[in-house]
Amino acid sequence: MTDVIPEPRYVASYGGGFFELDPDTELAAGEGAERTERWLRATLGAATGLPLPPGGGTDGNVIRLTVDSSVTRDLGAEGYRLAVMPTGVQVVGGGPAGLFWGAQTLRQLLGPDACRRAPLPGRSWRLPLSHLQDSPRFAWRGLMLDVARHFMPKEGVLRYLDLMAAHKLNVFHFHLTDDQGWRVRIERYPRLTEVGSWRTRTKFGHRASPLWEEKPHGGFYTQDDIREIVAYAAERHITVVPEIDVPGHSQAAIAAYPELGNTDVVDTTALSVWDSWGISPNVLAPTDNTLRFYEGVFEEVLGLFPSEFVHIGGDECRKDQWRASPAAQARIKELGLADEDELQSWFIGHFAKWLSARGRRLIGWDEILEGGIAEGAAVSSWRGYGGGIAAARAGHDVVMCPEQYVYLDHRQADGADEPVPIGFVRTLEDVYRFEPVPAELDESEARRILGTQANVWTEVMEDHARVDYQAFPRLAAFAEVAWSALPAPGERDFADFERRMTTHYRRLDALGVAYRPPTGPLPWQQRPGVPGRPIDGPPPNR
């Protein structure tokens, strides 16, 4: 009856009738409903052409938005109740976020054309008489977007925040720095963007590809751009978690400031922003100068991003240069460390303490477990479930994002026409049957799973259409996994999800999303002759 995605916890239909919006329909908002009122009037007003003037009378023909603590007791702050009656609509949230998610459901109930930016002729706007109660399974329902490998201009980021909100995702992990580009302006270190934000050319396809795009690629966000992105996200009850990658994936920073690298091993003045993919051997030197430099970076980052968590990467740090560096070896000896793994742990631990002293929390990829993890740090478990299981058992919070299941850069089918095929085949159904909480965890350990996140790495995604193709429709399936109270993976009703997706594809069309059609890529979505790196067979279980 509703075809809502993510699937609500409870839906009841009232006899098959409708409430119809018309030019006299009012929008009444109580205390705490201001953000949702602004969003709903702007969004539905654009799609329907209806004025939805402020109201509040008792005469009916009103959409009433309310925040009520009694809903919080029953459904939590992100829960909501939505009642469509013959005389009007009530959306009640446990908190402002819950109210907003209820408004997202209301838009879905109006039909796919409610997702458009201008009204189509001859449309009527009817809501089925119904009652819904809903709340999310996880508090962290995330999407990571890599803008370092291929830059996404600000307008594209704002668009993705809207797409996240439409799917009730609430954490935007903003991957801002890597070997191939530095994307946020740091005022005290201007060369990070003057030098580090662009490269002279770009590998086209997998890193083994012989193809190159022989033109400069780059871009960065000013600090005002970041403030706008953060504010736009907050209006949609989305938290932006920035990622500044240390100590690996840092060649762009070293190209801008050569003294950050291991100068006693390589001529860092000869380095440029990396133009290929993979893992660069050029990593940060474990010196006091590097620590002070990145403290300066993080001071500005904290001023831009109010999130509790700050992501510091910590992944794929090749330690060959540290092994060859007399300065790094002297540091290991000075600190009484056993090896290079403990040196990385010391580096990460420094910033965990530094962030904690400023009221923030460090989160990093699961490599931060190696050599010992800092107290209070959280883990993004990407190399399967193992890191997350170990972290949860050690008393650390975890975001589950195993690459074998929710890395959306992995290919969606094994056909020859799949563009730049990377990794394992992960179909829409595979993502729908992903389970974020490992069965091995007991009840107390499972409470350490903050939630889950889908990751979009953009090495082979040169523009927003390629990002759309890889993300959708699988992000819709992931959103249902993150939000809905689904049964065990093998018991999930994928056929019903596919049925609801027939309506949701029309919503994606209205939103302008260049998703992968169920029948396979369209001709212009293919990349013939551009080699990828497909991996055959099912992914490992852990």
Side-chain angles (χ1 to χ4, degrees), residues 160-489:
Y160 257 82
L161 291 170
D162 279 329
L163 292 173
M164 288 179 63
H167 292 83
K168 300 185 177 72
L169 299 173
N170 69 340
V171 178
F172 180 55
H173 177 167
F174 207 6
H175 184 80
L176 289 163
T177 73
D178 218 295
D179 298 308
Q180 296 86 0
W182 184 286
R183 304 297 179 210
V184 56
R185 174 78 175 180
I186 302 297
E187 299 298 345
R188 74 188 72 186
Y189 303 128
R191 286 177 59 84
L192 286 172
T193 44
E194 291 169 359
V195 174
S197 70
W198 68 279
R199 54 184 182 264
T200 57
R201 64 175 187 168
T202 299
K203 177 70 72 172
F204 195 25
H206 181 253
R207 62 179 175 268
S209 168
L211 305 176
W212 294 89
E213 187 177 40
E214 297 286 354
K215 67 178 184 182
H217 177 86
F220 65 91
Y221 309 104
T222 68
Q223 294 203 353
D224 279 344
D225 290 338
I226 294 293
R227 294 183 184 100
E228 180 183 357
I229 288 167
V230 169
Y232 194 86
E235 281 285 303
R236 288 146 183 80
H237 298 276
I238 295 171
T239 299
V240 183
V241 174
E243 181 179 356
I244 305 295
D245 221 329
V246 297
H249 287 295
S250 298
Q251 184 165 323
I254 297 169
Y257 290 92
E259 65 272 21
L260 296 174
N262 294 282
T263 57
D264 55 348
V265 177
V266 295
D267 179 8
T268 55
T269 63
L271 295 177
S272 60
V273 177
W274 210 20
D275 57 11
S276 191
W277 314 127
I279 308 171
S280 170
N282 295 294
V283 302
L284 297 174
T287 64
D288 289 341
N289 174 66
T290 300
L291 298 181
R292 300 294 88 76
F293 182 97
Y294 273 87
E295 286 171 1
V297 169
F298 282 118
E299 281 178 6
E300 295 193 25
V301 167
L302 296 191
L304 296 170
F305 297 93
S307 57
E308 174 188 3
F309 288 99
V310 175
H311 208 293
I312 51 74
D315 61 315
E316 297 180 328
C317 178
R318 288 187 169 174
K319 302 177 177 66
D320 294 341
Q321 290 184 358
W322 288 355
R323 293 186 185 96
S325 164
Q329 292 302 309
R331 188 109 235 207
I332 289 173
K333 184 176 180 181
E334 169 199 339
L335 296 169
L337 304 176
D339 55 21
E340 290 76 19
D341 283 345
E342 288 195 4
L343 182 62
Q344 177 170 337
S345 177
W346 165 81
F347 195 106
I348 299 299
H350 173 87
F351 286 104
K353 295 184 184 74
W354 189 90
L355 289 167
S356 178
R358 288 153 182 82
R360 306 296 186 94
R361 290 182 66 188
L362 180 147
I363 184 169
W365 303 110
D366 55 54
E367 286 94 332
I368 69 171
L369 291 161
E370 297 166 4
I373 182 173
E375 182 180 355
V379 170
S380 300
S381 185
W382 76 273
R383 294 180 299 177
Y385 287 102
I389 291 170
R393 286 176 171 167
H396 293 271
D397 290 336
V398 176
V399 175
M400 278 294 183
C401 50
E403 71 163 323
Q404 304 93 332
Y405 301 92
V406 290
Y407 268 36
L408 301 184
D409 49 313
H410 282 222
R411 58 194 175 130
Q412 302 182 65
D414 60 3
D417 56 357
E418 205 65 30
V420 199
I422 299 294
F424 297 102
V425 172
R426 294 287 82 192
T427 66
L428 183 66
E429 182 172 1
D430 290 331
V431 175
Y432 190 68
R433 298 193 187 281
F434 164 61
E435 173 49 50
V437 179
E440 295 92 327
L441 298 182
D442 64 28
E443 185 176 346
S444 64
E445 293 164 347
R447 285 196 291 269
R448 287 292 184 178
I449 307 299
L450 298 176
T452 184
Q453 179 173 291
N455 295 340
V456 179
W457 300 102
T458 62
E459 286 95 332
V460 300
M461 301 179 211
E462 71 276 10
D463 55 33
H464 85 271
R466 280 287 289 124
V467 175
D468 280 5
Y469 179 91
Q470 292 300 134
F472 288 97
R474 293 182 295 180
L475 193 63
F478 172 80
E480 185 147 310
V481 169
W483 176 279
S484 302
L486 298 177

